[in-house]
């Protein structure tokens, strides 16, 4: 199965251009859509999930025209939105049974088999008799996945699923998603670079509605090999370095300040060449993208 997005654009009535001519191809496996808050990720996810209209462009899921044949898409789509509400007073078991009924599983035996399997798959079996109001953030997210998987979707979209989860819950959620990713297209939208590094075989970076990168994480890392440099600095000097170099990121560790920069050649000045990671790729593209956008604005003026 292949999802092909071509020249997708969307401007909200308040003038915010949330998607600017986005083109993207997504096939089986886990796909990470990475970008900061406000980048346009949810707009893109909601449009693929047939929940909102684009201004122009096309989305094809194999030979289904997503923007026109919405009922067909909904039959094969599972969607876990960024925020969803659950009735706190209802037990997980009753709630999932109700959703399964709504999704057309009218045979009680078939429904029970399906929901039981989903409780096992999402590691919620021992909690299924509990009220949803007692669930932790991670349990709610896994329950959200159980709901999204009821109709055995071919395409699963999860929007910012690990934001707010503690490390153990995040880890469990990662394991669940990678299992699902073995036989589905899973699109994971996130601002957390680690989620993509751990899980995704393909990825895109989006910022301010623009697609900045679309590749495999390993390929992306290769392109900046030997170009990432790190240095321990005095915290108060950070702005000097930001001015002087192509600054990527800073981290504070044991009372020390370390910065990373991008440079085509060895900058000297006490910098050490380090092995790049996906976060370096991310910051490199976000910051480069911003520079390009600023430049375009200057040219327009
Ligand atoms: P992300 O999911 O990456 O955080 P969104 O798609 O939610 O990004 O938002 C992209 C941009 O569109 C942001 O500037 C946001 O404020 C704006 N936006 C999102 N939804 C609406 C809306 N319904 N009306 C107006 N502006 C919106």
């Amino acid at each position: 199965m292949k999802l092909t997005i071509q020249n997708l654009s969307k401007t909200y009535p308040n003038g915010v251009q949330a998607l600017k001519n986005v083109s993207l191809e997504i096939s089986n496996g886990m796909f990470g859509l990475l970008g900061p808050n406000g980048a346009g990720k949810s707009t893109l996810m909601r449009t693929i999930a047939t929940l909102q209209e684009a201004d122009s462009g096309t989305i094809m899921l194999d030979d289904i025209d997503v923007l026109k044949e919405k009922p067909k898409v909904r039959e094969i789509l599972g969607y876990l939105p960024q925020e969803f509400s659950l009735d706190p007073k209802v037990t997980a078991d009753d709630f999932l049974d109700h959703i399964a009924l709504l999704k057309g599983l009218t045979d009680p035996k078939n429904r029970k088999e399906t929901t039981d399997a989903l409780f096992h798959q999402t590691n919620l079996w021992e909690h299924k008799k509990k009220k949803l109001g007692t669930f932790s953030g991670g349990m709610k997210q896994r329950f959200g996945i159980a709901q999204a998987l009821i109709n055995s979707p071919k395409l699963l979209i999860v929007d910012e699923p690990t934001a707010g989860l503690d490390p153990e819950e995040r880890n469990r959620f990662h394991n669940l998603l990678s299992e699902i990713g073995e036989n589905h297209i899973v699109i994971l939208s996130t601002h957390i670079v680690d989620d993509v590094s751990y899980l995704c075989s393909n990825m895109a970076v989006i910022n301010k509605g623009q697609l900045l990168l679309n590749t495999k994480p390993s390929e992306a890392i290769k392109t900046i090999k030997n170009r990432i440099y790190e240095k321990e600095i005095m915290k108060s000097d950070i702005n000097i370095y930001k001015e002087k170099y192509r600054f990527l990121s800073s981290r504070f560790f044991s009372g020390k300040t370390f910065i990373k920069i991008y440079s085509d050649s060895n900058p000297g000045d006490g910098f050490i060449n380090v092995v790049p990671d996906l976060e370096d790729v991310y910051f490199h593209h976000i910051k480069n993208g911003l520079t390009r956008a600023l430049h375009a604005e200057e040219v327009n003026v």
Side-chain angles (χ1 to χ4, degrees), residues 12-14 16 18 35-44 46 82 159-160:
Y12 285 108
N14 63 359
V16 173
N37 287 330
K41 302 183 298 296
S42 294
T43 303
L44 182 58
R46 286 195 303 261
Q82 207 168 345
D159 198 354
E160 299 275 358

Side-chain angles (χ1 to χ4, degrees), residues 122-141:
T122 53
N123 247 310
L124 289 170
W125 177 256
E126 74 235 48
H127 305 291
K128 70 176 192 151
K129 297 287 176 204
K130 290 185 186 160
K131 290 189 175 155
L132 290 165
T134 67
F135 273 24
S136 69
M139 286 158 77
K140 279 185 189 150
Q141 287 301 66

Side-chain angles (χ1 to χ4, degrees), residues 61 63 99 106 114 116 162 169 180 185-186 192 199 204 212 276-277:
L61 186 54
D63 54 359
I99 301 283
T106 47
T114 305
D116 279 0
T162 64
E169 285 180 328
I180 298 168
I185 302 185
V186 180
I192 301 170
L199 293 172
L212 303 178
D277 58 25

